[in-house]
Amino acid sequence: MPLFDLPIEQLRSYLPDRDEPADFDDFWQRTLTEAAAFDLAPEFKPYDLPFTTVDVFDVSFAGWGGHRINGWFLAPRGVEEPVPCVVHYIGYSGGRGFPKDHLVWPASGYAVLVMETRGHGGANVGSPGSTPDPHGSASPQAPGMMTRGVLDPDDYYYRRVFTDAVRAVDVAAGHPAVDAARIVVEGGSQGGGIAQAVAALRPDVKAALIDVPFLTHFRRAVEITAADPYQELVRFLATQRDRADDVFRTLSYFDGLNFAARGRVPALYSVALMDDVCPPSTVFAAYNHWQGPKEITVWPWNRHEGGGGFQTEEQLRYLHKLLAGA
Amino acid sequence: MPLFDLPIEQLRSYLPDRDEPADFDDFWQRTLTEAAAFDLAPEFKPYDLPFTTVDVFDVSFAGWGGHRINGWFLAPRGVEEPVPCVVHYIGYSGGRGFPKDHLVWPASGYAVLVMETRGHGGANVGSPGSTPDPHGSASPQAPGMMTRGVLDPDDYYYRRVFTDAVRAVDVAAGHPAVDAARIVVEGGSQGGGIAQAVAALRPDVKAALIDVPFLTHFRRAVEITAADPYQELVRFLATQRDRADDVFRTLSYFDGLNFAARGRVPALYSVALMDDVCPPSTVFAAYNHWQGPKEITVWPWNRHEGGGGFQTEEQLRYLHKLLAGA
Amino acid sequence: MPLFDLPIEQLRSYLPDRDEPADFDDFWQRTLTEAAAFDLAPEFKPYDLPFTTVDVFDVSFAGWGGHRINGWFLAPRGVEEPVPCVVHYIGYSGGRGFPKDHLVWPASGYAVLVMETRGHGGANVGSPGSTPDPHGSASPQAPGMMTRGVLDPDDYYYRRVFTDAVRAVDVAAGHPAVDAARIVVEGGSQGGGIAQAVAALRPDVKAALIDVPFLTHFRRAVEITAADPYQELVRFLATQRDRADDVFRTLSYFDGLNFAARGRVPALYSVALMDDVCPPSTVFAAYNHWQGPKEITVWPWNRHEGGGGFQTEEQLRYLHKLLAGA
Amino acid sequence: MPLFDLPIEQLRSYLPDRDEPADFDDFWQRTLTEAAAFDLAPEFKPYDLPFTTVDVFDVSFAGWGGHRINGWFLAPRGVEEPVPCVVHYIGYSGGRGFPKDHLVWPASGYAVLVMETRGHGGANVGSPGSTPDPHGSASPQAPGMMTRGVLDPDDYYYRRVFTDAVRAVDVAAGHPAVDAARIVVEGGSQGGGIAQAVAALRPDVKAALIDVPFLTHFRRAVEITAADPYQELVRFLATQRDRADDVFRTLSYFDGLNFAARGRVPALYSVALMDDVCPPSTVFAAYNHWQGPKEITVWPWNRHEGGGGFQTEEQLRYLHKLLAGA
Amino acid sequence: MPLFDLPIEQLRSYLPDRDEPADFDDFWQRTLTEAAAFDLAPEFKPYDLPFTTVDVFDVSFAGWGGHRINGWFLAPRGVEEPVPCVVHYIGYSGGRGFPKDHLVWPASGYAVLVMETRGHGGANVGSPGSTPDPHGSASPQAPGMMTRGVLDPDDYYYRRVFTDAVRAVDVAAGHPAVDAARIVVEGGSQGGGIAQAVAALRPDVKAALIDVPFLTHFRRAVEITAADPYQELVRFLATQRDRADDVFRTLSYFDGLNFAARGRVPALYSVALMDDVCPPSTVFAAYNHWQGPKEITVWPWNRHEGGGGFQTEEQLRYLHKLLAGA
Amino acid sequence: MPLFDLPIEQLRSYLPDRDEPADFDDFWQRTLTEAAAFDLAPEFKPYDLPFTTVDVFDVSFAGWGGHRINGWFLAPRGVEEPVPCVVHYIGYSGGRGFPKDHLVWPASGYAVLVMETRGHGGANVGSPGSTPDPHGSASPQAPGMMTRGVLDPDDYYYRRVFTDAVRAVDVAAGHPAVDAARIVVEGGSQGGGIAQAVAALRPDVKAALIDVPFLTHFRRAVEITAADPYQELVRFLATQRDRADDVFRTLSYFDGLNFAARGRVPALYSVALMDDVCPPSTVFAAYNHWQGPKEITVWPWNRHEGGGGFQTEEQLRYLHKLLAGA
């Protein structure tokens, strides 16, 4: 059934209880503090393409554990004032792809920092990656990244990713072409889940653009969708039948609901009502918990592609208005 | 079997006979002459986006039969000299999508004219279209565009499309920002098949970039691939069991092999050895028949996605070199 | 879940609100009046088969826009009195097939006029067609017929089809072998949807046999079935994200619910409770709105095949009784 | 690959060795002699339908082991001379369906005897059956009928079926409306395989119409098709890994190649070049072995549907000519 | 949706009405009495394997109708006292497989009698069988065993199987190595359904281990699962549209709910909440009707694999405790 | 086509060139020497199950990098002399499962050491694992283990696994219940590939049992099978289009062909002719290169399940004969 989740009227007010560990904030403070011990060590290597209006850099910096995290940095060429910067996080399975994939931001007068999600990008033909995850796992895992280290919050894959993502904001802020007061975090699906977390952990960003976010409301997601990547969790739970409590305890430190409840910056969400990858109730649950100024675009007939280019144009207009006022 | 077609050594020299009707050139000359009766009537409406480095226009012009054909025109903002222009044709099922999808050319200092393929774009969620095909069909058809009018060359869908595509070159050439002596036709899959045809019909273009071209070597394609869109033809042949001769007669006027044999301009092809949509033997057949200066990039492990962004960067470098010399 | 729709008890009384445009009747009156400007111009060409008890004619007539619509006409040979005639409409994707496919009616003493649905029959190997739709589309469309012209009621594909279908009744009525007072419209799936519409637009038909009708209760259908052809609409809506209002406005002129609410002649419906192509709630919604004498056969364990030959025998008995009384 | 079998040029002359047991003829003579001990005991019960030009009977007779075999008998009503009769055998999984499904023969002036294939017809929604196979199996079997009793020729399912089928000719011949000198055996797929066998075992039939025959050239079939029902054999062989010799010994008594080599009556075959259920090489192997007058219709673009209604019309013309000359 | 059935809270108390024929007990008493006319005639042939700690026998005995039923008998070698014995019934499609597959019981100090389910084992590559069902069917059937004889309780396949299964307990009890007072019936899926029935029909067994049982709560099962083997019933009902009452009447004599309501011995059940083959509501319905001491293990994240080896270890501990107390 | 690979006659003599790096032996000597720096540190913890004839231990030892590798150790209880020991390696995706899964060896008088393949076992519901791979990857990877570290032989996943596997032989040899002179390595699919490698690296083992081995003849495998896990490599190559040379260089250090060419101990192989996971030509290529005494069992009708329990019984008989002679 295409409309498999709650009806839109109920979604608008769906505000489920959150499963939040008592030391949620401590966990993240400790995590980021530990990471701060590693120098950020950003590198911006000019990347040779016959572009005439955009400067492209092959970026890397030290993320969690000091591991090198790669990305792209693009900025409009020949601009004299520092410009706002979008920090872009990537969807599940993808790598940074190619500079050409990210031109919408410099064409609009912004810089963009594209951060790779470590360990992804090895099998997405449209979006190759270059950043490995040199950290293994202290527990067995299902193929994919969803269960790498899932038995222990300290060992969980997304602890490293969210830390990388917070530090990427610093990388952007430190570049001379960027106006550090106007940094926006942005992403779709996994990238949306990351942007949502970073916006909570870094309340100094200017705004968050969160499309069909993943990594949000795990409990419900694993019960109502049969699609990957949430199903990686189900496969693990089905196999490691005696470890469910550990899994859900770990996930509670990473659930988008708990980040949304700490979100204070302006946010533009989007959701698709036929999305069986990131079901609409999981998105609205986060949106309804978000504490800052917020808007949500609803795509009634779409699946996980959400609004696509329509949503990008919404975002351009939203940012244009928001940043003009800054 | 992933490597289902001929081995690469045989592909390099695969030069099948062509099935060419005696009046092939007459047919196309008559077709284009008839079309010339309609004024081109190009319109360039500024399209409002908060872009700062690129000008975007919602374009339309009179194609075959005087029907309005839509597209985008993007040009680097603030450039004083006319620039080279890429005329971009779109893959099967897609529409023109969004201006952001075509930024790679203006970022590289070129204008780009994106021409919609009439009748497509109604069901490709990533690439919406806006141009209908107001011409129906004088014969029954299978769903999709491959068999619309397939019983008669004059009524066949691609007669209209190729005519639109030739005229799109005129639209580009007529724009004041464009250097009419440096127009390049480009596309992948269906777009590659169209670019291949236009390069033969309009020998005044500067070059052709032809990725994994469709609409080429129909006879072999329908026998070795079980994938759409070539399978639309097979479904039609299986149903209209008594019309095979008519179908193949019509297709002979549109077969990429016959256009390739007339290709005189520099061409950069690409081919993927595991491509079951546009099998590599059909691509090499055309490439080997091409008469002009030519290069081909071979992607051994890819399917129809071909070289993706790798190939785009190849193209940028190829054009940069070619046009610099101009 | 095989029983995915409402339970049978609720189906029996399911009577949803209808979305009916104020000018519904005007629209159809205007449409049929405009069509009447074209002479019907029926042709009955004897079709050569070694049949001994049935006369077969290759039929055509001028439908909407004067376009030639093809079909078969079969009548029992050697009957002296005019006989009742079944006008048979065809399911989605099919053409008129072969005369042998329609022998049940002449074997039962009836003539049968089989009307092709324009544009179909090019890819259904069991049921080839011969009637094109020479009218294109004023808007982009998804592959298939469901969205051809869907942005404008005047341009919508089914406006032409329903008009053809109403005129087919005149073709039948005009044949000397037919008793014009005893014409029955009949069809399954798309054919059922057409029969339902014709019975409302031509209240002079004697009865309607409507099996698992399609084109009925669009709003609900697109939300609860993931199957084609209703999914053609969803693909279009998902792509043309900004045109939903136009789509539903157009569909309101063609929704079987609105025709059912005008149905006054005796009707025999059938429905299958596991039918995911034409879900049972959409069928009952129409049946419950039907205003004339009515019966419905419920097939609890079937999908879209419905009652198959069982239902045909039901229909033979139903007609036998109904027409005997006439 | 759609054209997965030999090219048509090789098919035309493909004449593989046959694996024929020394006692093939003895086996069948013994089998039919044993069956003859059971009185044929045909029953023709009028079946009540409001047909006006055709008489319909619910038929049964004693087949192998005296088991009752059901079918339909249809004859043109009111004909004074005995008419030719088609004995129709049914495809795999089907039952006799409905009288309406068989009207093409009485409409053409023939009687038709439809014989059910015992044990089928319980899961084919379009073609219900009524004849069980009261004989179990002396060996384990895979689901379906292909391996019931496959370890022993005497116990094999098709021994019973072919015997039933031979006796069905007697049933037809014994009906007063039938001209026993003009009986034609006919069928497609499994029905074609049965007709082929009967034509060899009953050289007094007038002709055989054999469409895309199944049960032919087992050795090759199981190696080149991944489709059911031949795959039932592969599943059995894969499971009962130590019984392959027994399986192939049994099959050698039932292989269509061995019947074809005994075929002396006029035969009209059909074959489809993309048929992955009954691959074309298996059909041509039989056709090329056939010893009588023969023709074959080749459908180049079809799969197992073969020629469909086109082929039926071929058959009508073929019989018309053949029987007119009788 | 992975969690497609009732929520766990409702499952715990789900106690649907049962559809029980008045003569249920008479039917089974008559059935077992009739079967008792055949001598049990067990044979234990030593099976030659280089095992050093286990004795293996190729077993057969006379089941329903005196038909030979095969299996394995394994017992720990060199034990002096009679040991408890597990009678193991097999899941749908499987045969007895190999002795190595059943070593867990002798390794734990028990004998095990593995009983084949007649007619299965011909197509399960992991679990070959050797026992045919020499009884055919008095009615047409769908492929598989679920509908063999389903129109008449006396002719239904599971009448023979359950009778075989009851007699297997006698076979075990009669072996000198076995302590007849400590026989446990055990199985998963179909094997669980059989064990459940035997435990009701043979209240002298010591316990029943019933995993994810099949053949239970047919009415609900056919409405909520689209998976085989329950779907064999739906295919039959969809085809034999007029026989539903007969089918459900037959099934009422075999429904696990009616056996569970007669269960008095200790039972250990298991259920998986995402099991779409044997949906959890059908399992809980039986469990909640069970009248004896009972426990159930719930596997929240599993499909039909249920608890797998985890559940086996549960069973070992459960039996160890239960039998120690004997 | 089920028989998609070379015909059996060609397979018997198929001896392709090997792609062997000059420092193959040095690489492995260095690898094993480095690993020897870590103390083996085996632990055997009794695992509590109510088994009466078998002792079960939860085993771990220090593998590559000193990482703890888990497994099971089972030995017949109460045996006074040291017994032969089978070292069992596990197929792709599986973990050690449950002790009950490995009883065939102690039942036959052997000990068995089951070694987990690090990092697997998180998503195979039938075979849970417990051993993580704490080593990440220095390069991006596709989901699964095939490409973890694939750009550098030193970093490649199977370097760690093969090292673990060699050391597992030492673990077995060091247990007092084991006769170190009679250790046999054994496994199927990935386990077969591992056993093949260990037999080459540890020529002191007594024999190798190698079923349908994986990790063998990579070049051909990735070209002729579309199945996982070989397809993990293709997905990586398709994405990381510029890294093919690095990938194949790395694989050359791990290719079973190169190990087979060093195999000197007696080996029993098995192969299945319809195996599309580990195609028969890749297996025969290794077998034909094997230098020691060898036998191969050919399963003509099987896919990757190979001989299943039939092959296990072959192995029992083979070992019984081989070890008896020792």
Side-chain angles (χ1 to χ4, degrees), chain C residues 47 49-53 98-100 103-104 106-109 125 128 305 309-310 312-313 316 320, chain D residues 47 49-53 98-100 103-104 106-109 125 128 305 309-310 312-313 316 320:
Chain C
Y47 182 79
L49 277 176
F51 280 174
T52 56
T53 65
F98 301 88
K100 75 170 181 66
L103 288 169
V104 70
S108 306
V125 292
E305 71 279 359
F310 286 96
T312 306
E313 298 195 358
L316 290 180
H320 190 64
Chain D
Y47 183 80
L49 278 177
F51 281 175
T52 57
T53 66
F98 300 88
K100 75 170 180 68
L103 287 168
V104 71
S108 306
V125 292
E305 71 278 359
F310 286 96
T312 306
E313 298 195 357
L316 289 179
H320 190 64

Side-chain angles (χ1 to χ4, degrees), chain A residues 118-273:
Chain A
R118 53 170 66 206
H120 284 281
N124 181 322
V125 293
S127 194
S130 64
T131 305
D133 181 18
H135 192 81
S137 177
S139 52
Q141 65 160 109
M145 289 303 188
M146 291 300 295
T147 61
R148 189 175 276 194
V150 76
L151 296 183
D152 177 356
D154 274 8
D155 192 49
Y156 191 42
Y157 168 73
Y158 282 105
R159 183 171 179 241
R160 301 192 287 284
V161 170
F162 289 2
T163 302
D164 298 343
V166 166
R167 290 167 68 90
V169 176
D170 294 315
V171 174
H175 193 280
V178 170
D179 174 359
R182 288 185 295 166
I183 289 178
V184 172
V185 290
E186 179 267 336
S189 195
Q190 177 189 262
I194 298 173
Q196 185 174 249
V198 173
L201 294 169
R202 283 291 300 257
D204 56 334
V205 300
K206 189 73 187 174
L209 308 178
I210 301 170
D211 292 315
V212 292
F214 181 51
L215 305 171
T216 293
H217 205 355
F218 290 106
R219 266 282 175 192
R220 180 169 173 86
V222 293
E223 291 184 4
I224 68 165
T225 174
D228 273 325
Y230 279 126
Q231 276 294 306
E232 292 184 21
L233 290 167
V234 175
R235 280 192 284 274
F236 185 87
L237 290 162
T239 303
Q240 305 282 333
R241 291 168 178 83
D242 49 349
R243 308 303 299 270
D245 288 349
D246 293 325
V247 169
F248 284 106
R249 177 176 171 269
T250 293
L251 294 177
S252 70
Y253 289 89
F254 301 89
D255 194 318
L257 294 193
N258 295 333
F259 291 111
R262 286 162 173 80
R264 291 290 186 284
V265 306
L268 175 62
Y269 275 78
S270 69
V271 65
L273 298 191

Side-chain angles (χ1 to χ4, degrees), chain F residues 132-155:
Chain F
D133 180 19
H135 191 82
S137 176
S139 52
Q141 65 160 106
M145 290 301 188
M146 291 301 294
T147 60
R148 189 176 277 194
V150 76
L151 297 183
D152 178 355
D154 274 7
D155 191 49

